[in-house]
């Protein structure tokens, strides 16, 4: 959603990557691409990658703007 990012906390694993332009205080304009970040996990197989992405979603926190983190946790 558009707005000013309050605080962003990203996952700390070497097997997870979060590609984004977001940082604390970044402005997300109302006419932005709806994908402002992409979370990627690497694993030995799909089951392993899903376990890592689940843990990474728990660690990923972005305040002051709406995200789809909770949707992906489900």
């Amino acid at each position: 959603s558009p707005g000013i990012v309050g605080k962003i906390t990203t996952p700390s694993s070497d097997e997870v990557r979060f590609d984004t332009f977001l940082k604390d205080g970044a402005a997300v304009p109302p006419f932005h691409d709806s994908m402002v970040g992409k979370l990627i996990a690497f694993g030995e197989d799909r089951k392993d990658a899903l376990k890592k992405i689940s843990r990474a979603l728990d660690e990923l926190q972005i305040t002051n703007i709406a995200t789809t983190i909770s949707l992906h946790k489900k």
Side-chain angles (χ1 to χ4, degrees):
S1 70
I4 304 295
V5 174
K7 174 110 176 105
I8 182 167
T9 305
T10 58
S12 58
S13 171
D14 289 339
E15 296 170 315
V16 174
R17 189 174 86 208
F18 185 55
D19 294 343
T20 188
F21 71 91
L22 295 179
K23 60 183 179 178
D24 295 353
V28 180
F31 305 107
H32 70 286
D33 180 334
S34 60
M35 188 174 77
V36 296
K38 180 171 50 174
L39 186 61
I40 304 159
F42 304 92
E44 292 190 27
D45 55 27
R46 181 174 174 81
K47 185 177 179 181
D48 186 42
L50 287 170
K51 187 169 102 177
K52 291 173 183 173
I53 201 89
S54 178
R55 192 170 36 237
L57 284 165
D58 288 338
E59 292 180 24
L60 180 61
Q61 295 181 16
I62 304 170
T63 64
N64 291 1
I65 62 170
T67 71
T68 58
I69 293 170
S70 62
L71 171 70
H72 292 288
K73 285 182 178 183
K74 290 179 185 179

